[in-house]
Amino acid sequence: MRPLVLLAALSALLSNSCYSAGDGKPPPLDELYFPTGLALDRASMSDPDGETPRAPKYMYVVNSDFDLQYRAASLISYNLDVLHRLVPRSCNASADCQNGDICDAPGVEGIPTDPTRVPSYYCVNPITTLPCGAVGERDEADRVLNPGRCDSINPNGAIDPIDPERKLVVSSVGIGAFATDVIWRPADPRATSQFPGRLFVPVRGDSTLHWIDVTEAGTFQCGQVEGVNDNGCDPEHRSGDVTSDNFDQLRQPSEPFAVDATANGEFVAITNQTSGSVSLFANDWARTGGPKLVSILTGLPLAPVGIAALPEPEFAQEGTQHTPGFLITYRSAAQIDLLRVRDDEADSNNSGAANYTRYALTRAGSVPITANSLGFDSRGIAIDDSQRKLDYQACRTSTECDAVADPLQCRADCLRSVHQPSVYVASRAPASLLVGAMTNDLSLSGTSELPSFSDSISLTFGPSRVVVGDVKVPGTSQSFQDSRGFYELERRVFVVCFDSRRIFVYDPKRRVIDAIVSTGRGPFALALDGERGLAYVGHFTDSYLGVISLDQRFPKTYATIVASVGVPKSPRSSK
């Protein structure tokens, strides 16, 4: 049976079933196995205040055990500084290299002049001139399915070439089978959490939301005990399966899929594929707390699959509070729904307060998708409010408002007129990227938080996820600077096409496809590391990671896979 046919069959089977840990083989906790989610330890985007951006420290990879070979799955953390040093260094000339290396480019002294040699535009040792160093080059036939010149980095044996005490793999822990996604949020500074951040992982096998605290060193804390339960998270770190957590006796529905959370991590929401519902969890940052299931909104169209938390606006009127919410996309409906969170306290003098349902997820609005001929089968969704943040900063520091009779009213008017957040949706009917923005209204925040779409960008088949982030472009002396010169960070929209093995890079300012990345089989999860000029893609079908160059200062390697982590391995039945 062909691999894609196998995966489709398994997907159909799993979409109607739930599985729990059984008596099968224990999962290899440090092995990449059908990765479905990637997250970095902070939102890797340019700083709106103009300060030098800080690169994330760790990447977290969720594996899914999709083919039932093991009885559970795993979560792994990788040190990104170590990975960065293992990835080939792009160059145009030897001046871009360090430590005596030279650039493998035509005309560079010391590079062999063999006419059959294909230059890599990587920094190489002047003695060996090997483009991939000790890793070695991948056979040309293998590059058809697994693009990239260099062979795979073995994550378990990889160490920092400068500091051998640091390893690529930092930590791993066991989780339930069939995890579908992962997000990271920094701890709320107002809370008493002893950990700097927390991961949230929806798991289909036991229909729960796993939550894992992450230490400053990138290690996991979720009640795991060495040698017990496959070194997995304890039951207290799996939420949604205990009805005694809430007065309404709620239980997480089957088939949780996509997850997102408010910026402060106070609320976490999950789409549930088969029940036409969305679950809301209230997250307690206290060490003994964690997210608790507090509301389930039903009656939605079937197959909600995409979710994006609303960015918080800055209100024109002081003291006004934002109501948290989420935008939802569907495979079965040509619409996007706006869901809002009700979070209100019971009257302390009310004798019935003990039985009061404080939280509720409500449907606040809906807009049809008309930019496409059909409009349904929408997958991933992303919201970008970077320009609005810049506009807010301009309003706060406006010298024009300081010169008028009523500066407060001037700034209020300015806040209402800022650029509305952009909204992007990956659609399959037809295959396209929908480009739009939230719509203006006369409210205090200046937006209704419902999107409208103006463009439909044609893509190849199989769009599944959309991610917004930064790429490096050439800069000036007024820009950021690294060891290879000046650069700026520019916004891009990345659309992952699972079936056609492509990642489209869309430039929203110029309204063009900036580049197309050729990937291995089944690209699914994507994480962006703009400060390092890299992206990381999880190949679901062959269970490995690809590292993509996103530095336009080096056009020969831009938007190409420059390294692989883990040896690609085909699904068992395809061998």
Side-chain angles (χ1 to χ4, degrees):
M1 184 181 290
R2 292 183 301 167
L4 290 180
V5 176
L6 165 69
L7 295 179
L10 281 173
S11 179
L13 170 65
L14 298 180
S15 66
N16 293 290
S17 306
C18 287
Y19 296 83
S20 58
D23 297 326
K25 294 187 297 183
L29 298 185
D30 53 2
E31 178 182 346
L32 290 163
Y33 204 70
F34 294 108
T36 53
L38 304 179
L40 306 182
D41 63 356
R42 63 172 202 83
S44 180
M45 296 183 182
S46 56
D47 192 325
D49 296 327
E51 299 177 359
T52 300
R54 295 175 298 169
K57 295 180 180 179
Y58 305 102
M59 175 170 60
Y60 309 105
V61 181
V62 161
N63 298 294
S64 65
D65 184 35
F66 188 79
D67 67 352
L68 308 180
Q69 182 173 353
Y70 304 106
R71 62 190 179 212
S74 66
L75 174 69
I76 309 174
S77 66
Y78 294 94
N79 187 312
L80 290 178
D81 279 338
V82 175
L83 180 57
H84 188 214
R85 288 175 179 154
L86 294 171
V87 171
R89 184 182 179 92
S90 299
C91 61
N92 298 316
S94 294
D96 299 319
C97 302
Q98 294 179 325
N99 303 320
D101 287 349
I102 59 177
C103 186
D104 180 18
V108 173
E109 183 178 355
I111 296 297
T113 57
D114 182 354
T116 63
R117 177 185 175 89
V118 179
S120 64
Y121 293 90
Y122 297 156
C123 294
V124 300
N125 183 292
I127 299 176
T128 64
T129 65
L130 297 175
C132 301
V135 173
E137 293 191 46
R138 178 171 285 151
D139 186 271
E140 288 192 19
D142 291 339
R143 299 180 200 176
V144 176
L145 290 183
N146 308 301
R149 182 161 183 166
C150 297
D151 214 341
S152 299
I153 299 170
N154 179 2
N156 298 318
I159 60 174
D160 191 329
I162 297 178
D163 182 3
E165 295 298 319
R166 297 204 302 175
K167 298 180 179 180
L168 177 57
V169 176
V170 177
S171 183
S172 61
V173 70
I175 59 175
F178 316 127
T180 58
D181 203 354
V182 60
I183 58 171
W184 176 90
R185 287 292 182 272
D188 189 334
R190 300 169 298 177
T192 57
S193 174
Q194 70 181 73
F195 301 103
R198 180 172 289 173
L199 294 167
F200 303 96
V201 182
V203 177
R204 294 167 62 191
D206 55 9
S207 296
T208 63
L209 174 66
H210 284 41
W211 57 280
I212 301 99
D213 285 314
V214 185
T215 69
E216 198 71 51
T219 59
F220 302 129
Q221 296 291 331
C222 60
Q224 72 272 32
V225 177
E226 183 71 25
V228 177
N229 190 30
D230 300 327
N231 295 342
C233 296
D234 63 18
E236 284 69 31
H237 286 78
R238 306 183 182 204
S239 183
D241 57 345
V242 179
T243 58
S244 59
D245 282 350
N246 54 83
F247 293 117
D248 294 328
Q249 301 292 294
L250 299 176
R251 184 182 295 275
Q252 165 61 34
S254 62
E255 297 304 311
F257 187 69
V259 62
D260 205 1
T262 53
N264 61 5
E266 183 179 4
F267 296 105
V268 183
I270 298 176
T271 61
N272 305 307
Q273 289 187 83
T274 57
S275 58
S277 65
V278 176
S279 302
L280 178 70
F281 293 77
N283 179 46
D284 180 1
W285 281 107
R287 185 167 66 91
T288 57
K292 301 297 182 185
L293 180 61
V294 294
S295 180
I296 301 174
L297 177 61
T298 59
L300 301 174
L302 289 178
V305 289
I307 186 169
L310 299 176
E312 187 169 349
E314 187 166 321
F315 286 90
Q317 180 173 315
E318 186 176 353
T320 303
Q321 293 185 345
H322 178 243
T323 302
F326 302 86
L327 294 180
I328 309 295
T329 63
Y330 302 92
R331 291 181 60 183
S332 62
Q335 67 190 58
I336 292 179
D337 285 347
L338 169 62
L339 310 185
R340 291 201 183 277
V341 177
R342 192 198 75 194
D343 172 18
D344 46 15
E345 298 282 1
D347 186 348
S348 59
N349 296 321
N350 185 351
S351 60
N355 293 320
Y356 178 70
T357 300
R358 175 180 176 184
Y359 303 99
L361 193 62
T362 62
R363 191 174 183 178
S366 181
V367 292
I369 296 176
T370 58
N372 273 347
S373 57
L374 298 177
F376 64 91
D377 203 358
S378 298
R379 302 297 177 105
I381 180 172
I383 304 172
D384 178 25
D385 72 332
S386 58
Q387 184 59 51
R388 185 171 70 173
K389 289 180 179 178
L390 292 173
D391 291 348
Y392 284 157
Q393 179 68 11
C395 290
R396 288 193 297 268
T397 60
S398 172
T399 56
E400 295 181 3
C401 286
D402 292 334
V404 301
D406 190 347
L408 292 179
Q409 184 61 46
C410 176
R411 286 191 170 84
D413 294 338
C414 181
L415 291 174
R416 291 192 186 95
S417 63
V418 297
H419 186 279
Q420 296 305 317
S422 300
V423 181
Y424 305 99
V425 173
S427 176
R428 290 194 176 186
S432 57
L433 169 67
L434 299 179
V435 180
M438 292 181 181
T439 52
N440 286 297
D441 69 2
L442 299 179
S443 69
L444 297 175
S445 65
T447 176
S448 69
E449 297 185 313
L450 282 169
S452 61
F453 296 98
S454 56
D455 291 320
S456 177
I457 310 300
S458 179
L459 305 173
T460 55
F461 57 98
S464 56
R465 290 198 174 184
V466 57
V467 181
V468 177
D470 292 329
V471 302
K472 283 186 172 182
V473 300
T476 67
S477 58
Q478 306 300 317
S479 311
F480 304 126
Q481 184 177 15
D482 61 14
S483 61
R484 289 183 283 182
F486 297 103
Y487 70 92
E488 294 180 357
L489 294 174
E490 283 192 356
R491 190 69 76 199
R492 294 293 187 272
V493 182
F494 299 78
V495 187
V496 182
C497 293
F498 183 94
D499 300 290
S500 55
R501 297 173 46 194
R502 297 288 186 270
I503 298 176
F504 288 81
V505 186
Y506 175 74
D507 182 342
K509 182 178 180 179
R510 300 168 184 86
R511 299 174 66 180
V512 297
I513 297 294
D514 179 79
I516 303 175
V517 183
S518 296
T519 73
R521 297 191 297 177
F524 189 64
L526 182 69
L528 304 176
D529 187 354
E531 290 78 6
R532 290 187 179 88
L534 298 173
Y536 314 101
V537 56
H539 292 95
F540 178 85
T541 304
D542 291 324
S543 300
Y544 73 102
L545 304 179
V547 182
I548 303 168
S549 172
L550 294 181
D551 195 333
Q552 287 193 1
R553 294 176 298 177
F554 308 102
K556 294 294 185 179
T557 57
Y558 177 71
T560 64
I561 292 181
V562 295
S564 299
V565 179
V567 178
K569 45 187 175 293
S570 301
R572 287 182 300 162
S573 65
S574 68
K575 298 178 181 178

